Amino acid sequence: MAHETPPEWDRAMRRRLERGEAAALAELYDRFASLAYGIAQRVLTDEDATARVTREVFGRIWATPDSFDPEQGPMRSWIADEAHRLAVARLRRREGAGAGSAERIRTASTLARADYIVTAMPAPLREALELARGGRTDYREVARELGISDAEARRRLRLGLQLLSSAATYPDGGADDVRREHRG
């Protein structure tokens, strides 16, 4: 899993990339390639296309490091968003305007966002959700397994599920835009 980075690290990384430090790109790739690849893979399910999207994400930040603005959020989020955007664009080109393509694109996009949300959420929330996955464990069992109170287990599960529910939202009009694009 790609690790969180402090804002100072993100700003310093951007400066290093702007100076053309190849070592900075290598460090960035080592840290975040699995994140970009995982998100693209969830959307595309094609190894070659996924690898191309991953390379494209890092190629873009190498060519235009100022496309990342540390004041808008962490590098990790920018890379995840870029991988998601590029993978969905590739899927749209591949799927065309065929019947059901808008729904397949929306489903793939939602699943990729959900994966990212789970990997980005704080470890205590992620652990509680993983224990309760599939309805096999209730909040009492989660509390016992994690050594926390029942109330804390319920709180973690509620917050984790609230975060996951945002995976289906499209702040830029995404699902409607997909439908409009395919209509005409």
Side-chain angles (χ1 to χ4, degrees):
M1 180 172 88
H3 302 288
E4 291 294 324
T5 55
E8 303 80 41
W9 186 92
D10 291 346
R11 286 190 290 275
M13 178 57 70
R14 180 178 165 184
R15 284 190 300 273
R16 291 175 63 199
L17 291 166
E18 287 173 331
R19 289 192 303 260
E21 286 184 36
L25 182 64
E27 182 181 337
L28 191 67
Y29 186 86
D30 287 346
R31 185 177 290 251
F32 294 116
S34 62
L35 172 68
Y37 188 90
I39 288 172
Q41 178 66 31
R42 187 66 151 155
V43 172
L44 296 168
T45 67
D46 173 307
E47 295 293 323
D48 291 335
T50 299
R52 282 192 294 276
V53 165
T54 303
R55 286 190 302 271
E56 196 174 337
V57 168
F58 290 94
R60 177 159 184 227
I61 193 129
W62 178 249
T64 57
D66 59 335
S67 61
F68 164 66
D69 180 359
E71 302 307 315
Q72 298 297 313
M75 177 79 74
R76 181 181 199 283
S77 295
W78 183 90
I79 288 171
D81 288 344
E82 194 65 12
H84 180 256
R85 186 186 66 75
L86 293 171
V88 168
R90 185 173 294 272
L91 182 62
R92 285 179 178 156
R93 286 191 304 274
R94 184 173 75 196
E95 292 285 330
S101 63
E103 189 57 36
R104 283 192 300 275
I105 291 167
R106 182 171 190 256
T107 298
S109 182
T110 299
L111 291 172
R113 287 172 51 93
D115 284 349
Y116 175 69
I117 289 168
V118 169
T119 62
M121 71 176 47
L125 300 182
R126 188 174 50 253
E127 290 168 352
L129 285 177
E130 287 170 355
L131 285 171
R133 182 180 39 205
R136 291 181 227 140
T137 306
D138 68 8
Y139 72 91
R140 288 181 192 96
E141 181 66 22
V142 169
R144 191 170 61 251
E145 287 284 325
L146 296 177
I148 58 177
S149 70
D150 286 358
E152 178 62 15
R154 283 192 308 269
R155 186 188 72 77
R156 289 182 188 183
L157 290 168
R158 183 176 55 252
L159 288 173
L161 290 171
Q162 285 172 341
L163 286 170
L164 269 177
S165 71
S166 70
T169 62
Y170 293 87
D172 60 348
D176 292 334
D177 289 348
V178 169
R179 287 187 199 100
R180 276 195 295 275
E181 282 177 20
H182 292 290
R183 274 192 228 134

